[in-house]
Amino acid sequence: MKAGWGFIISGIIIIAIGLVWLFFGMSAPDIGQGITTTVSLPQVLPTSAPPTTVPVTMALMGTAVVTESTTPSADAAKLHFLDLAFGAGNPYLERWGETQNNGRIVISMVGNRDADAMAVQTALQEFNSLSRTNQISTQVKQGSATGDIVIKFVTGDGMSAIPLNTSESLTNKEFVQGGRSVAKVTLGTIYVNNDLKGDERSHVILRSLFYELGLVGTTDLYPDSLFYSGTDSTKTLSLIDREAIRLLYGTSLKPGMTANEVRGLLFVR
């Protein structure tokens, strides 16, 4: 009888062990699906990130200047163009006529360095890609004064001996930087101070060349512009400069137009 009870108890223990293993020992791959568990994590304070907007620098007198990072809007480009075309007090649009020399302009240089010619050639290629009327020969004549626009290099002391014709509205400009004359622009001829070096030299050459092409004004808003009114050694056209040239040498505008006529065509008040 005792042996019988022993077998029964042993059977119960075995069954109990089996049930425990069945419910708690088996792997269950689907367990936990659809269950949301909340875990407490240490709080992380946000760190400051750099701004993603276009930076605007305030000048000392409260005039905002803009640093370009994207293509300028059409309205901004039009206003910039008006500053460059008429901002110097020009009553009329000064631009080479598309019928002059069949729209082809030749540049020559006298007394230049190789780097000067390379800088001019690069600028001319960019101009040609923007202009829909006139084209400039990228074969700059060196050592010759027979071009439509001649760039001559003279000593700093010799700059004072170059007269400006006060009867000319467009090409009657002296550029001064640091209290010294760095360039003089006359009709068909540009005189550059040969004492200039580096980026300043390239900037003065290109600024004078584009002045001769009709971009006679300046801008107070865009420090990266070739035509910035402040101290500048920029030697490339900015994005908004390029748009201004597109407008100036596009097919809609003609030399001799007044500022009001140009504003009407561009729908600018």
Side-chain angles (χ1 to χ4, degrees):
M1 186 68 179
K2 290 182 180 179
W5 280 106
F7 281 114
I8 292 173
I9 293 172
S10 298
I12 292 172
I13 292 173
I14 292 172
I15 292 172
I17 292 173
L19 292 174
V20 170
W21 177 84
L22 180 64
F23 286 100
F24 299 99
M26 292 179 64
S27 60
D30 295 334
I31 294 177
Q33 292 189 3
I35 300 176
T36 302
T37 304
T38 302
V39 180
S40 298
L41 296 176
Q43 183 179 8
V44 180
L45 296 178
T47 58
S48 60
T52 57
T53 56
V54 178
V56 176
T57 305
M58 298 303 295
L60 292 178
M61 297 303 294
T63 302
V65 294
V66 182
T67 300
E68 291 182 78
S69 61
T70 58
T71 302
S73 68
D75 288 341
K78 291 175 184 178
L79 293 175
H80 184 60
F81 159 71
L82 290 171
D83 283 340
L84 301 187
F86 298 102
N90 262 21
Y92 304 104
L93 188 68
E94 303 283 4
R95 192 199 81 179
W96 282 68
E98 51 196 282
T99 59
Q100 292 178 256
N101 299 341
N102 294 320
R104 186 172 180 269
I105 304 171
V106 177
I107 307 292
S108 65
M109 306 179 76
V110 179
N112 64 287
R113 303 169 187 171
D114 290 340
D116 301 333
M118 292 178 61
V120 170
Q121 286 175 338
T122 299
L124 298 184
Q125 290 172 351
E126 190 167 24
F127 173 89
N128 288 341
S129 71
L130 301 170
S131 173
R132 297 183 60 190
T133 52
N134 303 70
Q135 291 288 286
I136 304 177
S137 173
T138 56
Q139 299 301 316
V140 177
K141 294 183 177 182
Q142 300 188 55
S144 171
T146 59
D148 300 305
I149 298 175
V150 182
I151 304 175
K152 295 182 178 181
F153 293 83
V154 299
T155 64
D157 293 336
M159 291 297 295
S160 60
I162 299 170
L164 292 176
N165 188 342
T166 56
S167 65
E168 298 166 3
S169 60
L170 166 62
T171 50
N172 180 30
K173 174 69 175 179
E174 180 178 19
F175 288 97
V176 178
Q177 288 187 186
R180 60 176 173 169
S181 177
V182 294
K184 288 184 177 182
V185 183
T186 65
L187 183 60
T189 306
I190 299 169
Y191 298 90
V192 177
N193 189 328
N194 200 37
D195 296 343
L196 298 175
K197 299 178 181 179
D199 290 347
E200 183 185 24
R201 182 182 178 96
S202 297
H203 168 78
V204 170
I205 294 170
L206 299 183
R207 179 68 185 89
S208 302
L209 176 60
F210 281 108
Y211 186 96
E212 186 89 47
L213 292 171
L215 295 160
V216 298
T218 60
T219 176
D220 298 327
L221 297 178
Y222 302 97
D224 54 350
S225 169
L226 182 68
F227 310 95
Y228 183 53
S229 58
T231 302
D232 198 354
S233 59
T234 303
K235 57 181 182 178
T236 57
L237 296 169
S238 67
L239 293 176
I240 202 164
D241 290 342
R242 291 169 60 88
E243 295 305 313
I245 292 175
R246 288 184 199 274
L247 289 170
L248 180 60
Y249 280 89
T251 56
S252 298
L253 306 182
K254 303 296 180 184
M257 283 185 169
T258 66
N260 287 336
E261 289 174 332
V262 171
R263 286 177 176 273
L265 282 175
L266 298 180
F267 300 102
V268 177
R269 293 182 179 180

